[in-house]
Amino acid sequence: GAVVSQHPSRVICKSGTSVKIECRSLDFQATTMFWYRQFPKQSLMLMATSNEGSKATYEQGVEKDKFLINHASLTLSTLTVTSAHPEDSSFYICSASSPSATDTQYFGPGTRLTVL
Amino acid sequence: DAKTTQPPSMDCAEGRAANLPCNHSTISGNEYVYWYRQIHSQGPQYIIHGLKNNETNEMASLIITEDRKSSTLILPHATLRDTAVYYCTPQGAQKLVFGQGTRLTINP
């Protein structure tokens, strides 16, 4: 099956700093990648959709200047949480869409962000 | 976006078939039904998907009603490792919308 990796798996940072999370599709080219956020005991919430080489599309209520997304290649997307605050602490998960007719999304293992 | 309704929790004995229902009565004609599962603190794992016909793969079977308003995921011989939260989600325009899912517990 299609494999998606994320790095780092967990990160702890101080309030006010920026954190970058990488998402890679390891064995396929992903034309579209997605970023989700999941708070404890809640479901996944889509933050943004990014297509390679173009600007990301953000969901309502997600600040594009705070959550910077770059999708520079068909195998790599990055999410940068700028000026992180404790309320940004969450589980961030990416997915990559396989280039088939049904566009199945394959998910990474997630990144646990803790902002002190 | 199509909404889904799933029971919040279910229990199943190890070795028995686990049948997980999902109601998606507002699904559009071109939306597939996707099933994922999430084991604690991991990313969701793709299980199966379908449009109209029933589907089977090495993990599970998917039964979709003729009117497409509901579906059932079947794990034929549940094991302890199948304990997870199972999400049923329609996919439209590439977007997945996750509800609260069903927390399935497999008991020894």
Side-chain angles (χ1 to χ4, degrees):
Chain A
V3 180
V4 177
S5 69
Q6 277 184 247
H7 178 79
S9 58
R10 58 181 66 227
V11 56
I12 300 173
C13 69
K14 293 182 179 179
S15 186
T17 61
S18 295
V19 175
K20 180 186 283 188
I21 302 170
E22 292 186 349
C23 176
R24 295 181 184 273
S25 56
L26 299 184
D27 52 2
F28 67 99
Q29 293 187 325
T31 53
T32 308
M33 287 184 167
F34 306 82
W35 288 96
Y36 296 80
R37 181 168 53 181
Q38 185 175 35
F39 292 108
K41 299 189 186 301
Q42 294 187 23
S43 188
L44 285 80
M45 294 294 295
L46 178 66
M47 299 175 66
T49 302
S50 75
N51 291 294
E52 184 265 339
S54 60
K55 290 184 178 180
T57 302
Y58 290 81
E59 295 298 300
Q60 191 173 8
V62 178
E63 301 175 57
K64 62 179 182 180
D65 294 330
K66 181 170 182 61
F67 298 99
L68 303 179
I69 292 173
N70 183 280
H71 191 169
S73 78
L74 287 172
T75 58
L76 174 63
S77 176
T78 60
L79 168 68
T80 301
V81 183
T82 62
S83 187
H85 291 284
E87 57 266 31
D88 298 322
S89 297
S90 188
F91 192 48
Y92 291 85
I93 312 167
C94 73
S95 72
S97 178
S98 68
S100 68
T102 57
D103 292 318
T104 298
Q105 289 185 34
Y106 295 94
F107 286 80
T111 297
R112 175 78 56 192
L113 171 63
T114 303
V115 185
L116 302 177
Chain B
D1 296 331
K3 297 290 191 290
T4 60
T5 303
Q6 298 178 254
S9 64
M10 291 182 65
D11 284 84
C12 179
E14 187 178 18
R16 304 297 293 269
N19 297 284
L20 294 92
C22 178
N23 181 290
H24 36 76
S25 59
T26 60
I27 193 170
S28 299
N30 60 349
E31 287 183 317
Y32 283 77
V33 178
Y34 275 77
W35 283 82
Y36 290 84
R37 70 182 182 185
Q38 186 177 28
I39 296 170
H40 183 62
S41 296
Q42 298 182 25
Q45 177 189 21
Y46 165 75
I47 301 173
I48 198 168
H49 72 280
L51 184 63
K52 295 181 182 178
N53 300 320
N54 298 337
E55 302 287 345
T56 296
N57 63 20
E58 64 278 4
M59 289 184 68
S61 294
L62 175 61
I63 309 297
I64 303 174
T65 58
E66 193 169 342
D67 62 8
R68 296 202 343 113
K69 292 185 177 182
S70 65
S71 62
T72 300
L73 178 74
I74 302 172
L75 306 179
H77 305 288
T79 70
L80 298 179
R81 287 182 292 183
D82 292 323
T83 292
V85 178
Y86 286 76
Y87 295 101
C88 153
T89 167
Q91 176 168 303
Q94 293 188 314
K95 286 178 61 173
L96 295 173
V97 179
F98 287 87
Q100 294 304 307
T102 295
R103 182 171 297 279
L104 175 67
T105 301
I106 307 301
N107 301 306

